[in-house]
């Protein structure tokens, strides 16, 4: 006996719309069971995880801070995935953007000008795009699997950042700690409002999401992305180039990840250090799929995943549980999102070794 997936002739539109909400509900139920197994009250734990952060102004600012890179990276990944280019290395592009954007305030720390911040943002986007260009080149011209190459480049970026802050870029005033100089005031991303730490990175994220939604919905480029993603052969008949699409989607995704990286370093951390991300580049994959690869949906998904980061920190303090709880929640969410989508699009068929009438069943 074996299990096969057979595509449904007419997938339910209603359940397709409902799928993310079903996944969220199943995640909450599974999370409650997990807390019960840990010996914690599920009600109290889920309240601390999902409700308590929404009742405090400081926590709302933290949610905005964490949502900004998730949304920026997520909308870039949505273009890749809708065009059938699987960029898994946004975490590396995030780090590359942070490093490239930090060249100005670290190497030229004596230069004080209003041009410092705009140059940092531009360098960050260019750095992220160039780093994404490596797997794009390998796929477009050597037919290399972009999943493997983009993922392996993540570890190279992480190790290069670690070497920089422990070596040539280490601050002479940091008492031998592996950090760079603190960024000058003109290299710090301004806050959105004075009541908290949320900065312009969140505004960049929303603007990017809206711009890409308009592109996907109303422009020829959006139509090209959709056609090539659904059928490369049909795209060729329409005169679209799959190689150009590889370059476009990967460079755009890398540029947005790089912008997220330098915005995080400039707006939240204020310097480079060995670890600048809790895994935003990987969590953004969940954000992209939870948002149905729709830029506007990704805004809501990014805010929800940011809530899991802040809620996870609250649960650690109030219930003294491991910091891995947040990762478990995010993993459960991705599992249920993909499971719901699969069961909506496909039906499970049991096929027996000696197939006769009545020996085959579909669920």
């Amino acid at each position: 006996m074996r299990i096969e997936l057979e595509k449904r002739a007419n997938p339910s539109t209603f359940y397709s719309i409902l799928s993310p909400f079903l996944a969220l509900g199943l995640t909450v139920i599974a999370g409650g069971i997990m807390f019960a197994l840990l010996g914690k009250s599920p009600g109290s734990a889920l309240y601390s995880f999902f409700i308590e952060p929404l009742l405090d102004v400081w926590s709302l600012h933290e949610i905005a801070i964490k949502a900004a890179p998730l949304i920026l990276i997520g909308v870039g990944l949505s273009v890749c995935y809708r065009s059938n280019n699987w960029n898994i290395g946004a975490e590396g592009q995030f780090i590359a953007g942070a490093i490239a954007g930090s060249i100005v305030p670290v190497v030229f720390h004596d230069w004080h000008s209003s041009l410092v911040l705009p140059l940092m943002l531009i360098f960050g986007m260019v750095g992220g795009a160039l780093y994404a260009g490596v797997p794009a080149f390998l796929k477009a011209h050597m037919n290399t699997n972009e999943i493997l190459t983009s993922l392996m480049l993540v570890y190279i970026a992480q190790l290069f950042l670690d070497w920089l802050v422990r070596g040539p870029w280490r601050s002479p005033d940091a008492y031998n700690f592996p950090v760079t100089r603190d960024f000058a005031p003109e290299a710090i991303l301004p806050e959105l409002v004075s009541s908290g730490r949320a900065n312009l990175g969140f505004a960049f994220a929303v603007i990017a999401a809206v711009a890409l939604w308009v592109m996907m919905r109303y422009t020829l480029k959006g139509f090209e992305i959709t056609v090539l993603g659904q059928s490369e052969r049909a795209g060729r008949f329409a005169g679209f180039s799959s190689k150009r699409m590889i370059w476009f989607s990967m460079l755009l995704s890398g540029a947005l990840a790089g912008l997220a990286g330098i915005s995080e370093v400039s707006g939240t951390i204020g310097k480079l250090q060995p670890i600048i991300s809790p895994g935003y580049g990987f969590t953004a994959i969940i954000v992209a799929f939870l948002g149905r690869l729709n830029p506007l949906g990704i805004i809501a998904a990014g805010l929800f995943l940011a809530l899991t980061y802040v809620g996870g920190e609250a649960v650690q303090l109030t219930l003294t549980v491991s910091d891995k709880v947040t990762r478990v929640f995010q993993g459960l969410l991705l599992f249920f999102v993909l499971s719901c989508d699969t069961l909506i699009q496909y039906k499970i068929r049991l096929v027996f070794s000696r197939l006769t009438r009545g020996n085959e069943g579909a669920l």
Side-chain angles (χ1 to χ4, degrees), residues 241-277:
S241 169
S242 59
K243 284 189 177 181
R244 284 200 299 268
M245 181 52 61
I246 292 170
W247 281 105
F248 173 80
S249 61
M250 295 291 284
L251 292 182
L252 176 63
S253 176
L256 290 176
L259 177 60
I262 189 56
S263 297
E264 178 72 8
V265 170
S266 173
T268 306
I269 303 173
K271 57 179 174 285
L272 275 182
Q273 56 192 28
I275 298 176
I276 60 173
S277 165

Side-chain angles (χ1 to χ4, degrees), residues 29-54:
I29 293 171
I33 295 172
M34 176 185 66
F35 282 120
L37 293 174
L38 291 173
K40 309 296 182 181
S41 168
S44 299
L46 293 173
Y47 178 84
S48 298
F49 210 100
F50 293 111
I51 304 300
E52 191 174 332
L54 301 176

Side-chain angles (χ1 to χ4, degrees), residues 14-36:
F14 173 75
Y15 281 112
S16 295
I17 296 172
L18 196 62
S19 175
F21 302 100
L22 287 173
L24 288 176
L26 291 171
T27 301
V28 171
I29 293 171
I33 295 172
M34 176 185 66
F35 282 120

